[in-house]
Amino acid sequence: MDDDDDWVEEIYTLLIDVCSGKNPNELFIVGKIHPQNYPLEMNSILIHVDISKPQPESRILVHAVNDIEDDGHLSYFNCIIKDNEILYIGDFNGYIKYDNGQIDRITFNNLNPSPSLIESAHLIDHDHIIYGSYDGIVINSENNILTATRVFEERYSGNTVEGIHGIGKSFLLAVGGDGCIAKFEGDTWKNITPPNDARLSGVWCRSRSEIYITGDYLWQWDGAEKWSMLTMEDGSMPKTFDVIEYQGIIYVSASLSGLFCIEGGHIIPVDLGAPAIISR
């Protein structure tokens, strides 16, 4: 039996994060698949999709259980791609660096305030990464110097920094939990009040005045007072997880509902085709 026969072809259905690759035809998707022998388990993977072909080709780059975790799986994780390294974030106080088969686990120690689980990350430049934690803390890692700041007020019951993005190092947004948003503009973090306290999970800043935020609702925000809720053309609205701009188009991941793009003020399904070619 081929190794790939162990996996059902549902690698597109539980999308957690999307990130653009160096090649203009590359799209990387972090998702989950069900082993056929263990249908109740959901194991995290990173797959690469070449969207330039009529029939997109898919390749699993890293399988979290076999390649990273010895005693379980990363239940929810983000990742960023830095040069040839893949940095995985999820379910512990730090991140996992995966570089051409070499695996290193890096933990954040001796920080005040002290973060627990790391849930999100944003690559500003080669030597500058921002991480978000389960307990509303942002960790700034610049030239290997770490500082931690609590950006969500402790009064929030659900205050995980599930998404973080910005423009350079002087404009950053952190979102998550039950309607938690914090904005950084060069000196301090300030809490922002969204239209409701629904769950927020991802953010992408196309500019300081064009910002997309995912979660129970998909929002477009002008950075000030105007909030627009985006739906499909029929008015329906899937729960969304993450958002990114890729080749000038805003893409949104939506778990079992798949991948969408924003077009004409609506979210439109993206047909990636059947996963005809899967290799590990």
Side-chain angles (χ1 to χ4, degrees), residues 147-198:
T147 56
T149 305
R150 187 178 300 281
V151 299
F152 293 158
E153 299 174 12
E154 292 186 81
R155 65 181 176 83
Y156 288 111
S157 58
N159 61 355
T160 301
V161 181
E162 294 192 29
I164 187 165
H165 189 252
I167 301 170
K169 62 174 68 176
S170 62
F171 182 84
L172 296 166
L173 277 177
V175 306
D178 301 327
C180 298
I181 301 178
K183 180 166 67 172
F184 178 84
E185 290 189 279
D187 50 4
T188 59
W189 288 89
K190 177 183 177 182
N191 285 130
I192 304 296
T193 303
N196 58 41
D197 59 359

Side-chain angles (χ1 to χ4, degrees), residues 8-280:
V8 296
E9 295 179 352
E10 293 184 359
I11 57 178
Y12 300 108
T13 58
L14 285 165
L15 305 178
I16 303 301
D17 189 43
V18 290
C19 52
S20 57
K22 296 178 181 179
N23 186 306
N25 291 324
E26 291 181 342
L27 178 66
F28 292 91
I29 298 174
V30 176
K32 294 189 176 182
I33 52 179
H34 296 262
Q36 286 184 340
N37 293 333
Y38 305 95
L40 296 181
E41 292 188 7
M42 294 190 298
N43 296 330
S44 300
I45 58 167
L46 173 70
I47 62 172
H48 158 255
V49 182
D50 188 342
I51 60 176
S52 67
K53 301 178 182 298
Q55 178 65 60
E57 294 184 358
S58 305
R59 182 166 60 93
I60 298 177
L61 299 182
V62 177
H63 177 265
V65 175
N66 293 338
D67 292 345
I68 293 178
E69 291 290 285
D70 295 329
D71 55 356
H73 62 272
L74 300 177
S75 60
Y76 293 98
F77 69 85
N78 272 298
C79 81
I80 53 178
I81 297 176
K82 175 184 173 185
D83 299 330
N84 292 321
E85 298 175 348
I86 303 170
L87 306 184
Y88 288 92
I89 297 94
D91 278 8
F92 78 103
N93 178 23
Y95 63 89
I96 293 170
K97 182 171 68 174
Y98 186 93
D99 184 4
N100 295 321
Q102 181 66 37
I103 298 169
D104 293 309
R105 180 184 287 257
I106 293 89
T107 58
F108 297 135
N109 299 313
N110 303 317
L111 289 175
N112 185 22
S114 178
S116 56
L117 308 180
I118 305 302
E119 296 286 343
S120 56
H122 168 51
L123 180 66
I124 294 178
D125 59 41
H126 185 272
D127 297 310
H128 194 177
I129 303 175
I130 302 291
Y131 299 92
S133 82
Y134 177 79
D135 34 17
I137 294 171
V138 162
I139 300 96
N140 184 73
S141 174
E142 187 171 9
N143 297 316
N144 295 318
I145 298 175
L146 299 176
T147 56
T149 305
R150 187 178 300 281
V151 299
F152 293 158
E153 299 174 12
E154 292 186 81
R155 65 181 176 83
Y156 288 111
S157 58
N159 61 355
T160 301
V161 181
E162 294 192 29
I164 187 165
H165 189 252
I167 301 170
K169 62 174 68 176
S170 62
F171 182 84
L172 296 166
L173 277 177
V175 306
D178 301 327
C180 298
I181 301 178
K183 180 166 67 172
F184 178 84
E185 290 189 279
D187 50 4
T188 59
W189 288 89
K190 177 183 177 182
N191 285 130
I192 304 296
T193 303
N196 58 41
D197 59 359
R199 182 189 63 87
L200 303 176
S201 60
V203 58
W204 184 267
C205 303
R206 180 175 251 181
S207 70
R208 292 180 182 230
S209 60
E210 186 178 354
I211 298 162
Y212 297 90
I213 300 175
T214 56
D216 287 344
Y217 303 96
L218 175 60
W219 297 103
Q220 182 177 341
W221 181 40
D222 69 355
E225 301 297 329
K226 184 179 179 181
W227 294 81
S228 301
M229 186 185 299
L230 303 180
T231 67
M232 299 181 69
E233 290 183 308
D234 63 4
S236 62
M237 180 174 49
K239 289 185 178 181
T240 54
F241 283 84
D242 201 19
V243 56
I244 193 172
E245 183 174 9
Y246 180 71
Q247 296 186 336
I249 299 172
I250 300 294
Y251 287 94
V252 178
S253 61
S255 186
L256 288 169
S257 299
L259 189 68
F260 292 81
C261 67
I262 297 176
E263 182 179 304
H266 294 285
I267 53 176
I268 309 296
V270 175
D271 183 9
L272 289 178
I277 302 176
I278 302 177
S279 61
R280 291 191 278 159

